[in-house]
Amino acid sequence: MAGGVDLVVIGADGGPERAYGGSAHAPAGARLLAEVLPGMCFDTGAAGCRVTAVAPDADANAMLTAVRDAARRPGRWLVVCLVGQLVADPRGRRLALVTGGSTPGNAYRRGLAWDWVVSAMVHGDQEEALLLVDAVADRDTWTALERAGEDGAGELLSYSRVPLWGRIGRYAPGRRGRDAVLPGGEGSFSRALTTVLRQGVPGAPAAVAPLDLQPAVAGLLDGGGPSGGSSGTSGAPGARLLVPPHGGRLLMRNRAAVRGALAGLSLSEELLAVLWRESAPTEPPSA
């Protein structure tokens, strides 16, 4: 297992507070990622991927402990998924993932601080790390993310030692937020990524990096792709895509390449069925 992948999936449900309704589908998005990602790791597969799925109603300490425990295990890759709603501190300099039971008065203090997660990943024993983000932010948090300069929360989205991949969208509580793309819901990054992994990318190699998958993922997101660079604004108003960087050795299976190779062979239907089952992802191990 020392050569494999440690995957930590956190889908935080903010609870009944209307201001944090943007996290309503986060547990579903997290379950989808935990189900699909392990079997798609090209040179490890599900057997070489250790999965930690954190309960959606867990507190910040339990979530951080899961990340830190995974980071301590020697391995090749550490992949952490954060799904839910983000909130900024009153000064707009730090971010946290809203956790269950939060209120507008205590959400940042009791939430999972973004810099805690990044720090744990930076100091981990893995060779490489990747942070997947499927989140929304309310008006004040979005303003903090858009603020330029080193004292803005947006600087947290460009930390070189922990590459990011995902989407952060704007969310307005109440009736105005009914049409928003929610993390884990239709049009979200979680849904788009898992769909692309399951279907594959026609014409691409059998092993693809996150950056190779990004155009296909962006095409399924509400609003399309980014304007360029490591992050950008999608065509939908108030959505920011986090694009994985060049380089890195984390490769995913391209199922379309497997199907294309099998389709070109004169094989019996029975043998094709066996080969297809061998190429399909298996269920992830329990946490």
Side-chain angles (χ1 to χ4, degrees):
M1 184 62 72
V5 178
D6 273 284
L7 173 66
V8 182
V9 184
I10 300 173
D13 186 348
E17 170 62 47
R18 188 177 70 168
Y20 304 125
S23 63
H25 300 305
R31 286 193 298 270
L32 199 56
L33 291 169
E35 174 188 342
V36 176
L37 282 175
M40 293 301 178
C41 298
F42 181 75
D43 60 352
T44 63
C49 184
R50 181 159 32 197
V51 183
T52 302
V54 183
D57 59 351
D59 61 21
N61 287 332
M63 294 176 178
L64 182 60
T65 297
V67 176
R68 286 175 171 171
D69 287 348
R72 292 190 187 103
R73 292 191 283 262
R76 297 173 67 184
W77 297 285
L78 172 62
V79 181
V80 177
C81 307
L82 297 183
V83 187
Q85 185 165 343
L86 298 175
V87 64
D89 72 304
R91 301 179 68 183
R93 296 183 178 180
R94 301 178 69 191
L95 293 174
L97 187 71
V98 175
T99 55
S102 296
T103 67
N106 66 15
Y108 173 75
R109 294 194 304 274
R110 69 180 296 160
L112 175 64
W114 181 287
D115 50 315
W116 294 352
V117 174
V118 171
S119 177
M121 297 177 72
V122 167
H123 295 95
D125 286 337
Q126 288 80 12
E127 297 176 14
E128 294 186 26
L130 178 65
L131 180 57
L132 301 183
V133 182
D134 186 5
V136 290
D138 63 15
R139 181 183 61 186
D140 292 341
T141 303
W142 185 264
T143 299
L145 288 172
E146 292 292 282
R147 186 181 303 141
E150 296 182 357
D151 62 343
E155 289 298 308
L156 297 173
L157 304 184
S158 58
Y159 193 77
S160 60
R161 293 187 60 186
V162 179
L164 304 180
W165 188 17
R167 178 187 189 274
I168 300 176
R170 290 190 64 172
Y171 173 73
R175 296 179 62 88
R176 291 176 298 170
R178 287 184 176 180
D179 296 330
V181 175
L182 301 184
E186 293 294 333
S188 69
F189 175 75
S190 298
R191 293 283 191 98
L193 174 58
T194 52
T195 296
V196 169
L197 289 175
R198 282 171 165 168
Q199 296 178 351
V201 181
V208 288
L211 189 60
D212 300 321
L213 296 173
Q214 174 60 23
V217 172
L220 294 181
L221 292 172
D222 180 77
S227 58
S230 60
S231 66
T233 302
S234 76
R240 184 170 182 176
L241 301 190
L242 308 172
V243 180
H246 290 279
R249 290 171 290 176
L250 179 63
L251 298 176
M252 312 301 288
R253 294 178 177 177
N254 181 13
R255 298 187 73 186
V258 175
R259 288 195 298 271
L262 295 180
L265 298 177
S266 299
L267 302 175
S268 68
E269 292 184 1
E270 292 80 6
L271 181 54
L272 283 172
V274 170
L275 292 172
W276 173 249
R277 287 196 299 271
E278 289 296 321
S279 70
T282 57
E283 290 295 323
S286 59

